[in-house]
Amino acid sequence: MLLAAACSGSGPQTALEPKGPIGRDIDQVWDLVLMLATFVFVFVMALLVWAIFRYRERPGDETEPKQIHGNSFIEIGGVVFSVVLLAVISVPTVRGLLDIRAVPEGDDVIQIQVTGHQWWWEFEYIDEVAPDGRTLITANELHIPAGVEVYLSMTSVDVIHSFWVPTLNGKRDVVPGRVTNLTLVADEPTPPDEPIPGQCAEFCGLAHADMRIKVHVHDAAGYAAWVEEQLAPSVQPGPDDPLAAGWATFSALCTACHQVTAEDPEGEVVTHGPDKFVTVDDREFRGSFGPNLTHLYSRDTFGSGTFTLDRDHLTQWIDEPESLKPMSPERNDLAENRVLGMPDLGLSPEEIQQVIDLLETWR
Ligand code: CUA
């Protein structure tokens, strides 16, 4: 079994290779506990093996072993030894817990509101605001600057989820009707094609395993550029544009659930699609029916970080969503604010390609 385990290599989602100070705090507690537990295990096993051999039955020796009962030195010593070990472990544990729970302060802290949905993550950067008052909204792929504290305030619109990026922090439940918090800090910018992976860690229904998170870490300038790009509107094609057919389909069907902010042919910036919120503890959180698609193609993945965003996958997704991800869109009820997945809208192959032609321009 040990040999087989050695073949697994290092998974990208391991808390044992932390990528930030909070992850390192957790990893250090783990290392200490592992070290002490290994010491206790080896010590107890050595005593046991020694006793087995030392006092084994020997051929020809028929005498009964010495009958003993009780030994205050071992009994008291065992209790004291355990208490001392637990006390040693508790110091970094309690300190680490307090550090993790501390609310980061300062002007540079980035505040992000997170909404858990069956089965995707919605992110609203409440301090990143466009001149017309829109906040930065995105989904599943989180972008943060390196070395800066990012404070997540999280809630859910349906069931309990759990936000977990193992290399940056522990997991935190995301509970409907409550706000929970988590701080992320990452050491270094990540290469664009190697974001830090995470995933939902609380069973939340059919596509729980496909409810992933990607964290892209930038340097300060890269983050500022990303924010600027995300706050800009996309473009709604005019009536004579070759993309007009895609827009006709999109604005008639897709905007029942998805929002897009686009500059129309008259130069006016309009947000299409339902503007949905949930209020928890007097705070408004986004409660959209589906991910905001204004800058869909700035993402590398879709379906909550599960599929590479390319024409083939997107074609299959629009044509037959449930062939990619287990969902139950037949139970969607927009009037009841209940969405359980992307429905098959029955578009023709041509309509699907027209919609993708349009989406590809929303970068
Ligand atoms: Cu959301 Cu599991």
Side-chain angles (χ1 to χ4, degrees), residues 53-327:
F53 278 92
R54 175 74 181 75
Y55 298 105
R56 70 186 188 278
E57 185 185 31
R58 290 183 169 82
D61 182 359
E62 299 292 320
T63 55
E64 198 169 275
K66 192 162 99 188
Q67 302 299 300
I68 56 164
H69 176 259
N71 181 318
S72 355
F73 175 73
I74 289 181
E75 283 165 12
I76 295 172
V79 170
V80 170
F81 184 65
S82 306
V83 167
V84 168
L85 274 188
L86 289 177
V88 168
I89 291 171
S90 72
V91 173
T93 305
V94 172
R95 200 179 52 206
L97 283 175
L98 292 176
D99 279 356
I100 290 172
R101 294 299 296 270
V103 180
E105 284 169 5
D107 291 341
D108 60 342
V109 175
I110 293 175
Q111 305 282 346
I112 302 179
Q113 293 197 166
V114 178
T115 310
H117 296 260
Q118 283 171 315
W119 291 275
W120 60 285
W121 299 97
E122 184 165 29
F123 302 125
E124 180 178 23
Y125 293 61
I126 51 176
D127 295 330
E128 308 294 0
V129 185
D132 60 4
R134 283 176 296 116
T135 49
L136 195 167
I137 305 160
T138 188
N140 307 317
E141 296 184 15
L142 196 61
H143 289 250
I144 63 174
V148 176
E149 288 175 302
V150 177
Y151 193 55
L152 308 180
S153 299
M154 312 187 287
T155 195
S156 164
V157 290
D158 36 51
V159 298
I160 301 178
H161 304 275
S162 183
F163 188 96
W164 193 30
V165 181
T167 54
L168 298 182
N169 203 334
K171 58 182 81 156
R172 198 81 214 248
D173 276 6
V174 176
V175 185
R178 287 203 191 181
V179 180
T180 52
N181 299 95
L182 193 71
T183 306
L184 303 179
V185 189
D187 291 328
E188 302 276 345
T190 51
D193 55 344
E194 276 175 52
I196 299 173
Q199 69 182 70
C200 179
E202 176 81 35
F203 180 67
C204 55
L206 288 174
H208 157 68
D210 295 332
M211 191 170 165
R212 302 182 200 173
I213 303 153
K214 308 270 180 211
V215 183
H216 291 268
V217 186
H218 301 272
D219 58 20
Y223 177 71
W226 179 80
V227 167
E228 198 185 321
E229 188 185 290
Q230 294 292 310
L231 285 175
S234 280
V235 176
Q236 173 193 334
D240 303 325
D241 194 297
L243 298 169
W247 173 256
T249 306
F250 185 90
S251 57
L253 295 171
C254 310
T255 50
C257 291
H258 294 284
Q259 269 196 335
V260 63
T261 299
E263 189 177 330
D264 69 16
E266 283 77 51
E268 202 182 333
V269 175
V270 182
T271 297
H272 303 263
D275 214 13
K276 296 304 244 180
F277 294 91
V278 286
T279 304
V280 185
D281 291 351
D282 299 325
R283 282 176 77 165
E284 279 200 325
F285 285 78
R286 289 268 151 192
S288 308
F289 293 144
N292 188 304
L293 301 182
T294 307
H295 295 285
L296 174 65
Y297 264 79
S298 69
R299 301 174 201 148
D300 301 324
T301 59
F302 72 101
S304 204
T306 309
F307 310 105
T308 306
L309 181 60
D310 56 29
R311 189 169 280 266
D312 285 351
H313 281 104
L314 213 48
T315 301
Q316 188 182 348
W317 178 251
I318 299 173
D319 186 35
E320 222 183 328
E322 283 174 278
S323 67
L324 279 177
K325 192 168 171 174
M327 300 177 286

